[in-house]
Amino acid sequence: MRLGYHTITWGGLTATAEGVTSVRDLRYRVAGDMSRALHDIAAAGYAGVELFEGNVLELGDDLRRLLDETGLELVGVYTGAGFVFDDVRGEELARIAVSADAAARAGASQLVVGGGSPRAAGPHAGDLDRLVTGLDAVTDLAAERGLTACFHPHLGTIVEAPDAVDAVLDRSRIGFCPDTAHLAAGGGDPAALVRRHGDRVRHVHLKDLDRASGAFRPLGTGDLDLDDVLAAVRETGYDDWLVVELDSFDGDPAEAARTSRAWLADRGFGAT
């Protein structure tokens, strides 16, 4: 398996301001310097990189130049939507189609998808069904562009708990992107979920977790049994990218990237 790293650590997750008034224009992005991020990721010994859709669109042709300069491969592009609001789903899907087009042009293979908005007044009956409808539409949209779509369960959505993860994967056609720390913080056992849905794993996000504080951590510096997770991934027959994705770090993001890279190297992962 080859190793990639997400640029989120160089500035954290933000969104485009246009999304306040237009769902069609709401995109995930990182506010930091993407040139620095890609050069730091390459210097740490990773072979690939994952970016948010907004940064891919903002970089345009400069992304190809940065990939050539650093020798990195664009592994995936992260997108997502609420999917539970019937009257805006069409706008959400139109937006994701633009992001998927950009991802395909830039050479990505994975379209990583988050989704499942919680409602202010609590969930409505059928929200999981609405989410599944949206995810299946993204699966088809991605396939039309030569991309593989995979669902990333995320804290702060209606798919935090393991039973919700099971329900979405049991009822949808989209691939599975297990994120070790999000699954654990949501009350699940990441290794068990990988084993249970092994035939659906299309992409993997790795991060560690300090359970006491809830903080995400570089690999090997938290409480998760990541060795068991990696064993589970191997058992599924998955033989593709492992992407380290650390949402934030109190320090130099390049240092965090090196820490996780060294931990994986100690376990024999990551031929570059």
Side-chain angles (χ1 to χ4, degrees):
M1 287 179 265
R2 304 175 74 197
L3 301 183
Y5 206 92
H6 200 298
T7 61
I8 186 173
T9 322
W10 283 260
L13 173 61
T14 62
T16 49
E18 294 89 343
V20 173
T21 52
S22 171
V23 171
R24 181 193 62 200
D25 298 314
L26 178 63
R27 289 187 171 84
Y28 296 96
R29 63 185 296 275
V30 172
D33 183 342
M34 292 297 96
S35 176
R36 176 193 168 195
L38 266 68
H39 281 88
D40 284 350
I41 289 167
Y46 294 89
V49 64
E50 185 176 312
L51 288 94
F52 284 122
E53 55 185 350
N55 296 111
V56 173
L57 289 163
E58 289 169 2
L59 286 167
D61 292 340
D62 283 341
L63 177 56
R64 174 48 54 193
R65 175 183 58 79
L66 284 172
L67 293 170
D68 289 342
E69 282 180 6
T70 58
L72 293 171
E73 181 175 337
L74 180 62
V75 179
V77 174
Y78 194 110
T79 185
F83 295 122
V84 301
F85 307 109
D86 291 333
D87 55 342
V88 298
R89 189 181 302 112
E91 296 295 305
E92 292 174 333
L93 291 172
R95 173 181 62 73
I96 292 172
V98 172
S99 297
D101 285 338
R105 286 195 303 270
S109 58
Q110 296 289 333
L111 191 67
V112 187
V113 185
S117 291
R119 298 175 187 260
H124 288 196
D127 275 354
L128 278 179
D129 291 331
R130 297 181 184 94
L131 171 59
V132 165
T133 296
L135 294 177
D136 282 349
V138 173
T139 301
D140 294 335
L141 177 157
E144 290 166 2
R145 292 158 174 81
L147 301 168
T148 298
C150 53
F151 178 58
H152 180 302
H154 205 285
L155 293 174
T157 71
I158 61 173
V159 194
E160 288 186 342
D163 59 344
V165 175
D166 291 339
V168 169
L169 292 175
D170 288 345
R171 293 152 68 179
S172 71
R173 293 183 284 108
I174 198 166
F176 181 27
C177 173
D179 180 297
T180 52
H182 279 280
L183 293 174
D189 178 337
L193 284 161
V194 167
R195 290 186 172 103
R196 189 150 68 243
H197 301 288
D199 61 332
R200 302 287 291 282
V201 175
R202 300 291 181 270
H203 194 50
V204 177
H205 276 187
L206 299 175
K207 61 170 72 80
D208 215 333
L209 174 70
D210 180 336
R211 293 184 186 275
S213 66
F216 297 146
R217 301 288 304 157
L219 304 184
T221 66
D223 304 319
L224 297 187
D225 186 353
L226 293 169
D227 287 309
D228 192 32
V229 172
L230 292 174
V233 170
R234 280 176 159 145
E235 289 165 19
T236 70
Y238 179 84
D239 190 24
D240 211 330
W241 290 92
L242 301 174
V243 174
V244 181
E245 186 224 20
L246 183 61
D247 301 43
S248 62
F249 181 69
D250 187 15
D252 181 3
E255 176 189 348
R258 291 191 295 269
T259 297
S260 292
R261 180 68 180 84
W263 187 91
L264 285 161
D266 285 345
R267 283 147 180 82
F269 286 89
T272 60

